[in-house]
Amino acid sequence: MSDKVYVFDTTLRDGEQVPGCQLSTPEKIEVAKELEILGVDIIEAGFPISSPMDFNSVIEISKAVSYPIICALTRSVEKDIDFAADALKYAKRKRIHTGIGSSDYHIKYKFKSDREKILERAVAATKYAKKYVEDVEFYCEDAGRTDNEYLARMVEAVIKAGATVVNIPDTTGYCLPEEYGAKIKFLKENVKGIDNAIISCHCHNDLGLATANTMAGVLNGARQVEVTINGIGERAGNTSLEEVAMILKTHKDVDLHTNIDSKHIYALSLLVSKMMRMPVQPNKAIVGRNAFAHSSGIHQDGVIKHRENYEILDPEDVGIPQSSIILTARSGKAALKYHLDRLGYSLEEARVEEVYDDFLKMADAKKDVTDDDLIILIEGSLPEGGIKLKNVQIICGESVFPSATVELEVNKEIIHASATGTGSIDAAFRAVDEILGEVFDMDEFLVQSMGNRNDDGKVHLRVKYQDQHYMGFGVHKDIIIASVKAYVDAINKITSVKSKVLKATA
Ligand SMILES: CC(=O)SCCNC(=O)CCNC(=O)[C@H](O)C(C)(C)COP(=O)(O)OP(=O)(O)OC[C@H]1O[C@@H](n2cnc3c(N)ncnc32)[C@H](O)[C@@H]1OP(=O)(O)O
Ligand SMILES: CC(C)C(=O)C(=O)O
């Protein structure tokens, strides 16, 4: 039977240390409940001594979830451990995670101490935590830069003192995968009693090697991975949960498994990104906007013929409905035909050739080609029903209700409506909904500056309509106008597709 790799999620502790990512207790509870549904084995819920709110969050998360072990972090300091034990009092399954720096950098410059004294503190902290809980994890901070002989002594000593899990963090993200894997192998082969504990990998991404190092650890005998959603965490971040989970799921040759129900990955990635105000880079593995988007002709042709020509993962396995074929000047006729078919146009080969030439000129000029653009290419203009943004007026400020008046041209008729909202953008979207008599469900919204403060703002959003996703883009010096343009762009795609499909099936 394949071995289980325990997933220890530290989004709410290491992830939450990132500036701007702090969450309120109710927000942490919401994430914790979703982590439970995802199937993580351990949730590191906080560092209870650090602040009253962190202490309280560990208490409330302990009450809110049942299956995962709730873990609280401490230094090798008795008071920290007292606080952690107190915060864990309601947890159905609990763990204290204590530890100390083991590298000579930390011993000499952080603690101004020596190796023997630090070893004594490590053992004392483990024994002290053991008075409160059976399950004690010990971290050897900066193990990545710790001499292996000394690390092995520390690991052996804390296991003897009762540690059930030994964490070997590459705190500074320094190790190469071979080096980190060899470190875990060294501990497996040289520590007496190592089989009485689980070895855990906690790798940082300073050199972009966090996932590779974690996998090297696992392949050399570690059975717990410390990860975060979207790889968020101190500095360049931690190992990302979705990457390790999907590596283990995809590589059938590696006889290991996790308890992760991968279909929930994408929804949780969106939730964490939104709540922690940390946009996911578009090319991020598994959950980035482009992770399943194909934009060059040879790849698009290959995917259209057989998805697995260019995809090693099925997007549905991570909760993404489908991969996408993006039309650009690098697209070929296969991609163009694919979209024309989808829009209900079945054209003769000669006509496709003709449209393709015009398409390329348009793609060179516009960079990406939308459904509306294709319809214009075929029909010369947008069908009746196209919506144009004519005007937006906003009232906002400290002590006023954010409100917006929007004017749209719908079926050649000018219509305007006003609405209030939680902010100016929400108010403007509501005014659009008011005019169109329909509320569109938006599940992604990203505002980016194209440069400095007087450059254009770019908005990318995604609207869900009848189980299909429609992207909207808008660019303007004013981000509110850019947002409304993007919203109208997405709605126009919905209405274009709707009218084309109706025409095709009539
Ligand atoms: C690797 C990790 O630990 S990742 C977790 C990092 N997370 C955090 O630091 C967030 C929570 N931290 C905090 O809220 C605060 O730093 C506290 C409450 C822990 C400590 O606050 P303060 O008492 O004001 O100490 P301060 O933050 O200035 O300095 C840290 C102290 O802890 C000591 N320390 C650091 N790590 C450890 C450890 N693992 N075990 C024992 N002592 C430690 C440092 O040597 C320093 O003590 P010193 O001033 O006597 O040398
Ligand atoms: C507390 C430990 C596990 C840590 O976060 C690190 O070493 O990076």
Side-chain angles (χ1 to χ4, degrees):
M1 215 186 55
S2 89
D3 257 8
K4 173 166 174 169
V5 174
Y6 290 90
V7 174
F8 175 115
D9 182 275
T10 183
T11 306
L12 296 175
R13 197 280 294 172
D14 216 328
E16 210 246 4
Q17 281 168 213
V18 176
C21 284
Q22 276 67 40
L23 299 181
S24 65
T25 302
E27 285 173 327
K28 284 190 185 175
I29 292 171
E30 192 178 337
V31 173
K33 285 182 171 166
E34 294 301 322
L35 286 169
E36 180 170 33
I37 294 169
L38 182 68
V40 307
D41 301 287
I42 303 109
I43 295 177
E44 188 161 54
F47 197 143
I49 200 161
S50 68
S51 76
M53 193 161 102
D54 220 28
F55 178 84
N56 190 45
S57 295
V58 177
I59 292 192
E60 295 305 324
I61 291 169
S62 299
K63 290 182 192 163
V65 303
S66 304
Y67 166 75
I69 294 170
I70 303 301
C71 178
L73 185 66
T74 79
R75 296 170 295 175
S76 287
V77 170
E78 289 190 357
K79 200 167 166 216
D80 286 25
I81 297 170
D82 295 337
F83 267 69
D86 196 14
L88 289 170
K89 62 184 171 237
Y90 297 110
K92 287 118 206 145
R93 304 164 73 206
K94 56 184 90 172
R95 175 182 296 177
I96 292 178
H97 187 189
T98 190
I100 201 157
S102 54
S103 68
D104 289 332
Y105 288 101
H106 284 213
I107 293 174
K108 191 167 169 199
Y109 302 115
K110 204 168 89 165
F111 301 122
K112 303 186 178 24
S113 185
D114 61 52
R115 287 185 171 190
E116 297 313 311
K117 288 201 185 97
I118 291 299
L119 205 55
E120 281 169 23
R121 286 178 72 180
V123 169
T126 308
K127 288 187 174 161
Y128 193 76
K130 212 57 193 178
K131 285 191 197 165
Y132 286 114
V133 291
E134 177 46 35
D135 191 3
V136 173
E137 173 168 341
F138 189 90
Y139 64 85
C140 307
E141 195 186 354
D142 204 14
R145 293 188 299 172
T146 301
D147 152 54
N148 284 349
E149 298 282 349
Y150 178 66
L151 184 63
R153 282 183 65 205
M154 186 178 271
V155 168
E156 190 165 310
V158 296
I159 292 176
K160 198 159 164 232
T164 45
V165 181
V166 280
N167 182 8
I168 312 300
D170 185 20
T171 304
T172 56
Y174 172 76
C175 285
L176 293 171
E178 244 182 29
E179 191 183 358
Y180 188 76
K183 197 174 274 291
I184 302 299
K185 188 161 187 268
F186 182 86
L187 297 175
K188 283 291 271 181
E189 289 172 354
N190 292 282
V191 170
K192 223 186 287 157
I194 193 72
D195 292 334
N196 298 329
I198 292 173
I199 301 181
S200 185
C201 305
H202 177 114
C203 297
H204 279 269
N205 207 29
D206 300 66
L207 293 173
L209 291 170
T211 299
N213 283 340
T214 295
M215 282 309 303
V218 165
L219 294 175
N220 281 283
R223 286 294 174 266
Q224 179 179 283
V225 290
E226 306 202 359
V227 290
T228 59
I229 300 292
N230 300 336
I232 60 166
E234 190 95 27
R235 304 183 310 280
N238 287 61
T239 305
S240 67
L241 181 150
E242 58 276 10
E243 292 173 12
V244 176
M246 293 316 288
I247 290 170
L248 292 178
K249 189 173 168 131
T250 308
H251 277 266
K252 303 277 186 251
D253 48 321
V254 177
D255 204 15
L256 296 169
H257 68 277
T258 68
N259 191 42
I260 296 298
D261 182 353
S262 64
K263 289 205 162 32
H264 297 285
I265 284 178
Y266 188 58
L268 193 46
S269 161
L270 287 178
L271 178 76
V272 166
S273 159
K274 191 168 120 193
M275 246 186 209
M276 293 192 155
R277 297 161 287 274
M278 276 284 272
V280 175
Q281 72 192 60
N283 60 332
K284 166 81 182 64
I286 322 286
V287 291
R289 189 196 325 138
N290 294 343
F292 296 95
H294 306 275
S295 54
S296 64
I298 295 168
H299 289 221
Q300 293 174 325
D301 170 63
V303 170
I304 292 165
K305 285 176 174 152
H306 183 71
R307 191 185 60 76
E308 286 168 52
N309 280 333
Y310 283 98
E311 282 185 359
I312 54 159
L313 302 173
D314 184 340
E316 282 188 23
D317 277 352
V318 295
I320 295 176
Q322 67 211 31
S323 27
S324 47
I325 305 283
I326 311 286
L327 288 176
T328 70
R330 302 291 156 265
S331 297
K333 286 184 281 274
L336 176 64
K337 246 182 106 349
Y338 166 86
H339 280 287
L340 292 175
D341 285 350
R342 188 179 55 79
L343 290 172
Y345 295 110
S346 55
L347 306 185
E348 300 286 317
E349 278 309 308
R351 179 75 179 117
V352 173
E353 292 284 347
E354 250 173 51
V355 175
Y356 185 60
D357 285 346
D358 293 342
F359 159 79
L360 283 183
K361 283 181 208 134
M362 179 183 257
D364 267 339
K366 279 199 73 219
K367 309 223 182 315
D368 52 41
V369 174
T370 65
D371 286 351
D372 281 356
D373 296 328
L374 288 184
I375 294 166
I376 290 168
L377 275 181
I378 305 282
E379 314 223 356
S381 66
L382 273 180
E384 294 288 297
I387 299 159
K388 289 199 191 97
L389 177 63
K390 303 301 277 185
N391 205 357
V392 183
Q393 250 177 32
I394 296 295
I395 300 173
C396 64
E398 263 309 357
S399 49
V400 291
F401 291 114
S403 53
T405 301
V406 172
E407 195 174 70
L408 298 180
E409 185 185 311
V410 185
N411 292 335
K412 303 219 164 78
E413 190 189 343
I414 303 289
I415 312 177
H416 67 266
S418 302
T420 55
T422 49
S424 307
I425 294 176
D426 182 46
F429 287 170
R430 284 171 192 262
V432 172
D433 295 341
E434 176 76 29
I435 294 173
L436 300 176
E438 191 158 4
V439 178
F440 295 91
D441 185 13
M442 191 177 300
D443 62 3
E444 204 178 307
F445 179 71
L446 194 69
V447 182
Q448 280 172 301
S449 161
M450 307 278 264
N452 68 32
R453 66 184 201 182
N454 51 15
D455 276 319
D456 280 341
K458 181 173 155 193
V459 172
H460 165 105
L461 54 76
R462 203 172 69 166
V463 169
K464 198 168 166 203
Y465 185 80
Q466 292 178 347
D467 285 339
Q468 292 283 327
H469 283 110
Y470 297 85
M471 303 291 190
F473 300 96
V475 178
H476 198 274
K477 294 243 177 280
D478 184 311
I479 55 158
I480 298 171
I481 298 176
S483 304
V484 184
K485 280 180 145 206
Y487 193 38
V488 169
D489 182 39
I491 295 169
N492 263 323
K493 285 175 190 161
I494 297 171
T495 48
S496 302
V497 171
K498 252 194 329 190
S499 68
K500 285 290 102 198
V501 170
L502 286 177
K503 210 169 162 185
T505 52

